Amino acid sequence: MDDSRGLHSVRRVHIAPLGYEHDRILLPATRYDADLLYLLGPTTPSSSSPDYHDDLVARLVETGIEVERVDVDLQDIYDVLGRTTTLVARHGDDEVLVNVSSGTALAAVGTTIACMTTHATAYTVEPETNAHDVHREPRTTGVANVESLPDYPIESPTRPQIAVMDYLAKQAEKGYTVRKRDLIEFAENADLRFMVDPPTTNRQSKYRRLQSAVVDPLTEKGYLDVRSAGRRKLVSLTDIGHSVYVAFEHKLKFG
């Protein structure tokens, strides 16, 4: 008898923002034998939700594709980016394809960047025809061609930097202010490599390590705000820093 323990069956996972589309989501998923399709977008029905979305989901399910709706603001690049990268990371051993042409323009940017930072492959779908009133019928019908986008790598914060950003975000949620001294203590307790390897007991050395590994690079990118309060240095995430943290926090869980 064959021992199949340890074997992994690779799944074909598709991710698609759910805009005013039908065929541009349905046909690539069925044509390329998707096992699972994540539909990104609002999960709460509203008066503006087109009727053909229900038909889309029904037809996907009829073909044997598992469908999961994921609540995402398609007008928020970082929400799209964060949700997409997290889903891709969840399927680290699977083949992941991302439809970057089925949602809003901002969703296209977010999903494209997500593919640049993960192992997912982005693709665009060229429609055969274009409709007009998207509330009455889909914007497009049929699929003329499906093309993969070139993969351009993009740099994300390092895992230790994301860990510090995570700490700052959670402390801010509690209403706490964070000093550099607090960040040093957190880095030591979390065994972040830049702080503990090699070990040091020198206080100034710890501040220099924090500054060079985290504070300086993230401040230069506009992710951190450092301000003086008397003799203390208070550190917080900027708005864009928080958005970047949301986009890449999956690295803390999935590596």
Side-chain angles (χ1 to χ4, degrees), residues 74-75 77 100 103-111:
L74 297 182
Q75 298 297 338
I77 290 177
V100 303
T104 64
L106 294 178
V109 175
T111 50

Side-chain angles (χ1 to χ4, degrees), residues 36-90:
L36 168 64
L37 172 62
Y38 290 103
L39 291 175
L40 311 183
T43 55
T44 303
S46 67
S47 58
S48 62
S49 300
D51 293 337
Y52 53 80
H53 280 176
D54 291 335
D55 176 72
L56 168 64
V57 173
R59 293 187 63 181
L60 287 165
V61 172
E62 286 175 2
T63 63
I65 298 174
E66 179 184 352
V67 178
E68 183 173 332
R69 301 286 294 270
V70 181
D71 192 34
V72 179
D73 181 357
L74 297 182
Q75 298 297 338
D76 185 332
I77 290 177
Y78 288 102
D79 194 26
V80 174
L81 172 58
R83 295 287 187 173
T84 304
T85 53
T86 299
L87 292 173
V88 175
R90 185 185 299 174

